[in-house]
Amino acid sequence: MKRRTFLLALGGGLAAAWWLKPGDQGGPHGAYFQPYNTLFRDSGPGRPLLFIDRQRLAANCRRLQQALPPGRAYRIVAKSLPSVPLIREVMAQTGTDRVMVFHQPFINAMAEAEPGCDLLLGKPMPVRAAARFYEELPEDAGFDPDRQLQWLIDSDARLQEYLEMARRLGRRLRINVEIDVGLHRGGLTEPRQLDALLERIAAHPRHLAFAGFMGYDAHVGKLPDLVESRDTSLRKAQAVYQSFIDRLYQVAPELREQPLTFNGAGSPTFTLHGDETPLNELAAGSCLVKPSDFDVPSLKDFEPAAFIAAPVLKALDGLTLPGPLPLGDAWALWDPNRRRTYFIYGGYWKAEPVSPPGIRRNDLYGASTNQMMHNGSPATELLPGDQLFFRPTQSEFVLLQFGDLAAVSEHRIQAWWPPLPQGEGA
């Protein structure tokens, strides 16, 4: 290779390397998080906490109501908002008393805390869990499960188990049937499968009553458009749902006069349902606090309303990694966003750092639930006692990890909201 050609190639390589070199993405907390940094640093509990922005929550509730098709009801998904006061807040903002529950201790907690609520199971419960609900329900709770609770049934075999329980307990169970509208996670797959369930329910009117359908359409919009468009997937799901309704009224026309529940949707899809939907109520929960897994086009108008604040325990210059080689020094030299090291109180949550800008966890150092390492540029300006803020990727598990939730508004802690109980062994 000629010297000139070599120098040109070397120069091109260096230019390309310089082009790939990370820029400084750091900065101090912005206008939204800086007041919360001051609040939790000076008046917080000195440990990681999860806070709910009540103003953003209320705005998201208004957006949800505006998106509901006319004449349709809204049902709160408790697993995504797992706190009685948080659910009460959403009830007040949306005017609904309908709640979907997925965990036996949650069923009991809601029945006792809100005895006027209407509960629908979001998944089929083992019959032992259903029986435990009745065992733990106080006689003076004021909640009537024979009128206010719908058990989800996905097969005739499970319906038989529930019938035996109803006979043993002397109860009349309201039965909601799970149907598969395309998610393929269980439930009836063909309308004719409904016949056996309806026959069994009709044969035991003292212990069973048909209450409706639940068909979850979380698969809508998940396939690449090249395979199937979102609109096509939604139309197919709605057609399947309607076919079950048609079969229901064909086999049991007397049920046309009953107030049945035709539940479906979910946070990613409820805004897609319009006047044509066969549903008479739509369920959603996560969209109201909007963790990052719900950054989807259908929820573009919703705002994140739940964040983690974790105190910085140690703030160090540079990046020192274990081992004999100066890998940390080289890494920090290459990437200005690795030139400051922060060890925080706790970590390794289903969450990503969101403030100050440019903060990144250090996966090479390793994950820790005790003192997680994060790096940033010197422009992040954090000191011990300052807060590093995270946005959860999902809500249903993360909101249960921090004890009482801090309900905030206008940069003040207004209340502490306890999470729903997990139960023994949870």
Side-chain angles (χ1 to χ4, degrees):
M1 180 182 294
K2 295 182 179 179
R3 181 172 180 272
R4 186 171 183 275
T5 304
F6 172 77
L7 291 176
L8 287 173
L10 178 62
L14 291 174
W18 181 260
W19 180 261
L20 294 173
K21 188 177 185 299
D24 189 333
Q25 299 172 355
H29 287 305
Y32 180 78
F33 287 105
Q34 183 54 52
Y36 287 118
N37 182 60
T38 302
L39 172 69
F40 299 137
R41 182 190 62 208
D42 298 344
S43 305
R47 57 168 173 77
L49 60 84
L50 193 144
F51 69 94
I52 304 293
D53 185 326
R54 295 178 72 180
Q55 292 172 294
R56 288 191 174 191
L57 178 69
N60 286 339
C61 286
R62 291 193 294 272
R63 295 179 179 106
L64 182 145
Q65 288 179 289
Q66 292 165 359
L68 280 175
R72 271 65 171 195
Y74 165 56
R75 188 174 293 270
I76 303 167
V77 177
K79 72 177 176 62
S80 304
L81 306 167
S83 165
V84 168
L86 174 54
I87 292 170
R88 281 178 175 153
E89 184 100 343
V90 174
M91 283 180 165
Q93 293 287 344
T94 60
T96 189
D97 62 0
R98 305 182 188 209
V99 182
M100 180 178 284
V101 281
F102 293 75
H103 186 40
Q104 178 263 314
F106 289 10
I107 312 173
N108 286 88
M110 288 304 306
E112 294 181 45
E114 288 291 327
C117 68
D118 179 277
L119 299 181
L120 167 65
L121 270 292
K123 65 184 177 187
M125 283 283 159
V127 70
R128 180 67 194 108
R132 185 161 184 169
F133 161 76
Y134 291 105
E135 293 168 6
E136 296 182 357
L137 183 68
E139 292 184 5
D140 60 352
F143 179 85
D144 180 5
D146 294 0
R147 183 176 55 86
Q148 297 170 247
L149 175 63
Q150 300 178 51
W151 294 105
L152 193 66
I153 296 297
D154 60 337
S155 67
D156 188 49
R158 195 183 302 274
L159 181 61
Q160 177 62 35
E161 290 182 331
Y162 273 65
L163 172 59
E164 292 169 3
M165 178 187 70
R167 285 169 170 162
R168 186 172 65 253
L169 299 177
R171 311 228 51 132
R172 187 170 190 252
L173 310 184
R174 300 176 69 209
I175 301 300
N176 191 292
V177 176
E178 181 180 20
I179 59 176
D180 181 3
V181 297
L183 183 59
H184 304 326
R185 194 173 65 180
L188 305 191
T189 57
E190 296 290 339
R192 288 186 178 276
Q193 294 173 333
L194 184 61
D195 298 8
L197 278 71
L198 292 174
E199 182 178 353
R200 191 179 300 279
I201 292 170
H204 301 279
R206 290 180 53 202
H207 297 297
L208 301 174
F210 182 81
F213 294 126
M214 193 282 285
Y216 186 36
D217 60 8
H219 64 289
V220 171
K222 295 295 180 65
L223 291 174
D225 285 345
L226 186 63
V227 177
E228 183 173 87
S229 72
R230 185 183 70 181
D231 290 345
T232 298
S233 183
L234 179 65
R235 285 197 303 271
K236 286 183 177 180
Q238 291 179 341
V240 171
Y241 207 121
Q242 186 63 55
S243 71
F244 276 92
I245 296 175
D246 294 342
R247 184 67 181 179
L248 171 70
Y249 291 147
Q250 179 185 348
V251 174
E254 69 278 6
L255 291 177
R256 286 183 180 273
E257 309 305 318
Q258 301 296 320
L260 302 178
T261 297
F262 297 145
N263 176 275
S267 284
T269 60
F270 83 93
T271 62
L272 307 179
H273 287 265
D275 291 345
E276 79 294 338
T277 183
L279 310 177
N280 61 20
E281 72 165 40
L282 284 73
S286 294
C287 63
L288 299 181
V289 291
K290 202 181 181 184
S292 61
D293 283 353
F294 294 82
D295 286 342
V296 295
S298 61
L299 297 176
K300 62 182 176 59
D301 295 329
F302 287 71
E303 296 180 283
F307 299 97
I308 298 165
V312 173
L313 298 179
K314 302 160 188 175
L316 310 172
D317 289 327
L319 172 57
T320 302
L321 297 174
L325 300 177
L327 295 178
D329 293 339
W331 196 359
L333 182 64
W334 170 256
D335 186 352
N337 302 289
R338 299 288 180 178
R339 292 175 187 169
R340 187 92 166 136
T341 295
Y342 301 112
F343 288 95
I344 64 169
Y345 191 145
Y348 204 36
W349 303 292
K350 285 182 176 292
E352 297 294 336
V354 67
S355 186
I359 291 285
R360 303 169 185 172
R361 66 174 179 242
N362 195 306
D363 293 326
L364 183 60
Y365 186 84
S368 172
T369 57
N370 176 44
Q371 295 184 67
M372 187 80 172
M373 179 198 278
H374 288 78
N375 302 128
S377 86
T380 53
E381 300 180 353
L382 295 180
L383 298 173
D386 284 328
Q387 308 292 306
L388 202 159
F389 294 98
F390 297 80
R391 184 180 172 201
T393 59
Q394 55 122 280
S395 60
E396 58 194 65
F397 176 65
V398 179
L399 266 64
L400 296 168
Q401 293 185 276
F402 296 87
D404 291 356
L405 310 175
V408 304
S409 183
E410 297 179 346
H411 304 117
R412 291 183 296 110
I413 300 174
Q414 297 186 325
W416 290 95
W417 292 347
L420 282 165
Q422 286 292 283
E424 297 175 8

